Amino acid sequence: MLKKIGRLFTIKTKWEAYLIIYSLATGSMERGKAYLVTYPGYGGWLLMAACSGAVFLGGAKILDAITMLRERSEEAAKV
């Protein structure tokens, strides 16, 4: 039963990854807007850039992990 529940929280396709990255980016930009209000000037802009940069890095890692898992499963199927 726990395995079935665990599969709900596993990213299996690139489509699912894109949806998760989109939701991360939306939240990140909302946080960035809050930083602009709280810290006007260059400090707010730098924090907003850091928020968007984190999404880029996280999104790239998610997509790389999906590709790696797909390649491993294909190799296991060949053996």
Side-chain angles (χ1 to χ4, degrees):
M1 184 65 177
L2 288 176
K3 287 183 181 180
K4 288 183 180 181
I5 293 172
R7 285 191 292 161
L8 292 173
F9 298 101
T10 303
I11 304 169
K12 297 176 207 76
T13 64
K14 285 193 176 188
W15 176 249
E16 292 172 349
Y18 292 138
L19 289 175
I20 290 171
I21 293 167
Y22 176 77
S23 65
L24 288 172
T26 303
S28 173
M29 288 298 99
E30 285 297 318
R31 185 71 220 161
K33 286 187 340 188
Y35 282 141
L36 288 176
V37 171
T38 306
Y39 305 105
Y42 290 114
W45 284 105
L46 288 173
L47 288 170
M48 185 173 181
C51 287
S52 65
V55 173
F56 283 119
L57 293 173
K61 187 67 172 177
I62 291 170
L63 291 173
D64 285 345
I66 289 174
T67 305
M68 182 186 67
L69 289 174
R70 180 173 293 150
E71 289 172 357
R72 280 189 183 177
S73 66
E74 288 174 358
E75 288 177 7
K78 288 179 182 177
V79 173

